[in-house]
Amino acid sequence: MKITASADPAVQHATQALAVGLFETTEWVPTGPLADLNSALADEIGAVIAEGDFRAKKNETLVLYTQGRLAARRVILVGLGKAEQLSLDSIRQAAATAATKARDLGLSELSVLMFGHDREGIGTDKAAEAIAEGAALGSYAFRELKTEDTNVRPAIERLVVVAPGAPAPGTIEMSLRIGNVIAESTIVARDLINRPANIATPSHIVAAAQDIAAGTGLECHVLDKAKMASLGMGLLLSVNQGGNEPAQMIILEHNADRTDLPCVALVGKGITFDTGGISLKPAQGMEAMKGDMGGAAAVLGAMRAVALLGLPLRVLGLAPVTENMPDAQATRPGDVVRSLKGLTVEIISTDAEGRMILADALTYSGKYQPDAIFDIATLTGSRIIALGDHAAAVMGNDDLITRLTAAGEATGERVWPLPLFEAYGEQLKSEVADLRNVGGREAGSITGGFFLSRFVPENTPWVHIDIAGLSLTEKATPYVPKGGTGFGVRLFVEMLRHWKANA
Ligand code: BES
Ligand code: MN
Ligand code: ZN
């Protein structure tokens, strides 16, 4: 989406539609540009409020036709809810609601009168960024596999943020660009998640990573199956055994040669389809397992944004990619395989495959001696049972969890901690190998995290983020439509933008 700023007086701004955010109040007293608009409209905004036809509840909309009284053809009123409750998230939601409304009206452009900037604790930069991000994210629809025109109209092409008399127009443009980069990077992840597994194969994900690298200046290396075999990545390769497409390991690097900078590694689970393998999943709902590469998608999207924003950090993105298929060649329950770390693992369930590929990727990340490691994965169904739709589960280093928690509050991609008490390790004891890959039904998300903890490079702070059920969703919110959400992209980028300040 093309996003620009304008310093036009609101009344004189020519556009197909001007979105105007309004707070819910008992007595509406317009000031500034709102007063100008309302008087040009002969108090029509005042009238729809007085009649109770528009109450400015969160994400409520009403379209007014200006009939030549303004340079804008339409005014889209958007409810912001109560002024004292305004947050970055409600700004993103309102901008998304306006963009969706404009799209549904069949428009190709939308202007938004700047809002939220005068609230304490928000300010112009953050408000502008949230408007751009929300509008771009809310306009997203996955249409590439539809040959016929659908009831989903094409997204608006142009967004103009109107900030009359803005103190420094340049800074608004910078914020709009940041918001747009973050949204477009999230959309890169959403597209990868939404693409079915016959299209988004391991080699497709690799090609996407190479495209991102070509467009941003990131370094990209790929380990092929032969290389992984020679290194000894037995856990990763055991998952790949049942499929036809070879496993690959994507390595993206930002500021690769800047060993003077702090180095953060992001590791994402890239199972392009999870059948469960020989421990086959039930057929019902299995199609959702095309989204089992949501962790890898989040890492690719975050790396794209990190590069385009030029963050002053060294950032490493790792994504092991493979299918998990049943076959005569597939790994069997009871098989014992040897990890890159050297530990042997008894495979109790071939459906606990995410931890297998991540274990070897975590160990491999140690080669770069990162200062912190985050893995992100659609790892366990029990994450959904424990926390539902409103928080990813996080386990590991407290300082890193604090950073993620702050980023989660700012982005709306919230996280909540689970413990990794040593006692949980009992559940992963094996009679025949060093450990087993499942720990029973109890505390399923924790035993998944505990398994991973055994493969983290020595003395390296690490956090595991379980996003099962959050990466691909059935429930839409204003700026997160159904399907692939890109959960994790905005969370990581926000955390990394503040990395040094929080050191
Ligand atoms: N990919 C699944 C987890 C999942 C479930 C993601 C629902 C998204 C939605 C993972 O590979 C898996 O199968 N986990 C098992 C682990 C068990 C065998 C220990 C699970 O959660 O049942
Ligand atoms: Mn599985
Ligand atoms: Zn899986």
Side-chain angles (χ1 to χ4, degrees):
M1 187 178 285
K2 192 171 176 303
I3 306 184
T4 55
S6 162
D8 287 350
V11 174
Q12 286 163 35
H13 181 71
T15 174
Q16 295 171 12
L18 177 65
V20 173
L22 294 178
F23 289 117
E24 191 182 336
T25 105
T26 42
E27 214 175 321
W28 188 61
V29 186
T31 57
L34 283 182
D36 300 344
L37 287 173
N38 190 48
S39 52
L41 289 169
D43 195 31
E44 194 168 319
I45 301 176
V48 295
I49 294 173
E51 292 291 347
D53 294 2
F54 183 77
R55 298 193 297 160
K57 295 273 183 207
K58 265 191 176 184
N59 302 318
E60 181 185 355
T61 58
L62 184 77
V63 182
L64 303 178
Y65 293 84
T66 62
Q67 314 275 28
R69 292 171 294 176
L70 305 178
R73 295 174 62 82
R74 301 167 187 79
V75 167
I76 302 179
L77 301 181
V78 186
L80 301 175
K82 301 221 166 63
E84 60 280 10
Q85 287 172 12
L86 190 79
S87 63
L88 288 178
D89 210 62
S90 52
I91 294 176
R92 284 188 291 263
Q93 289 189 22
T97 301
T100 312
K101 188 75 204 173
R103 177 186 72 192
D104 293 347
L105 291 170
L107 309 183
S108 57
E109 65 174 11
L110 173 70
S111 297
V112 176
L113 180 63
M114 182 80 173
F115 63 91
H117 53 290
D118 43 11
R119 298 301 305 169
E120 214 187 293
I122 293 181
T124 304
D125 294 356
K126 288 274 145 205
E129 190 182 311
I131 290 170
E133 193 177 308
L137 288 174
S139 300
Y140 176 77
F142 182 69
R143 304 165 87 252
E144 67 186 36
L145 300 178
K146 300 239 189 212
T147 58
E148 282 175 30
D149 203 359
T150 64
N151 45 12
V152 181
R153 307 229 189 165
I156 52 166
E157 288 153 22
R158 292 180 306 282
L159 179 79
V160 181
V161 176
V162 183
T171 70
I172 289 186
E173 263 128 30
M174 176 71 88
S175 299
L176 296 177
R177 180 180 169 262
I178 294 173
N180 203 15
V181 162
I182 295 172
E184 285 177 344
S185 301
T186 305
I187 286 169
V188 166
R190 287 180 180 178
D191 279 340
L192 289 172
I193 296 164
N194 284 326
R195 281 178 200 139
N198 63 326
I199 295 173
T201 57
S203 49
H204 178 93
I205 312 286
V206 168
Q210 286 163 338
D211 276 0
I212 290 170
T216 59
L218 288 168
E219 295 266 332
C220 182
H221 304 279
V222 181
L223 305 185
D224 64 13
K225 203 171 153 176
K227 178 71 184 171
M228 293 190 279
S230 72
L231 289 169
M233 296 186 172
L235 304 196
L236 204 170
L237 292 174
S238 76
V239 174
N240 184 239
Q241 252 169 247
N244 275 331
E245 270 234 14
Q248 306 194 61
M249 172 94 81
I250 298 164
I251 302 148
L252 287 169
E253 283 181 84
H254 170 65
N255 283 332
D257 48 359
R258 294 288 307 275
T259 44
D260 56 311
L261 294 173
C263 177
V264 180
L266 311 176
V267 183
K269 171 178 171 181
I271 295 290
T272 59
F273 195 80
D274 183 11
T275 65
I278 296 298
S279 310
L280 194 65
K281 286 184 180 295
Q284 175 83 35
M286 204 203 279
E287 66 279 2
M289 286 301 125
K290 73 174 182 179
D292 212 20
M293 32 53 75
V299 169
L300 265 50
M303 292 304 294
R304 178 185 185 277
V306 161
L308 291 176
L309 298 178
L311 297 192
L313 290 171
R314 201 172 147 222
V315 188
L316 195 62
L318 269 78
V321 286
T322 172
E323 300 178 285
N324 183 24
M325 299 294 281
D327 178 78
Q329 304 302 314
T331 296
R332 295 154 289 254
D335 286 2
V336 174
V337 287
R338 190 184 162 85
S339 64
L340 178 62
K341 170 118 182 232
L343 291 170
T344 56
V345 175
E346 180 188 10
I347 296 166
I348 300 299
S349 171
T350 62
D351 199 11
E353 84 298 339
R355 62 197 72 184
M356 303 291 281
I357 68 169
L358 288 172
D360 280 341
L362 284 168
T363 303
Y364 186 75
S365 75
K367 182 170 112 84
Y368 296 84
Q369 297 180 297
D371 299 297
I373 306 175
F374 296 84
D375 78 70
I376 183 161
T378 49
L379 207 74
T380 65
S382 40
R383 204 286 321 152
I384 305 173
I385 306 301
L387 294 169
D389 293 331
H390 306 295
V394 288
M395 287 149 252
N397 179 276
D398 286 337
D399 169 53
L400 299 186
I401 288 178
T402 303
R403 292 172 183 268
L404 279 174
T405 303
E409 284 306 317
T411 56
E413 294 189 336
R414 291 187 290 185
V415 303
W416 199 256
L418 295 176
L420 286 180
F421 301 135
E422 203 51 50
Y424 289 108
E426 290 297 317
Q427 288 174 242
L428 293 172
K429 290 217 158 119
S430 165
E431 297 290 324
V432 296
D434 296 330
L435 72 169
R436 44 194 254 167
N437 77 335
V438 304
R441 271 167 46 82
E442 295 166 15
S445 300
I446 295 177
T447 51
F450 197 97
F451 181 91
L452 294 175
S453 74
R454 299 289 307 272
F455 297 90
V456 173
E458 295 278 302
N459 301 319
T460 312
W462 155 84
V463 166
H464 162 58
I465 310 170
D466 191 337
I467 56 167
L470 296 171
S471 190
L472 184 72
T473 171
E474 284 302 309
K475 291 166 202 149
T477 59
Y479 67 90
V480 188
K482 277 188 207 175
T485 63
F487 191 108
V489 174
R490 295 186 308 115
L491 178 68
F492 278 144
V493 174
E494 175 68 17
M495 176 187 71
L496 294 170
R497 283 172 77 188
H498 298 106
W499 189 262
K500 272 200 176 152
N502 291 338

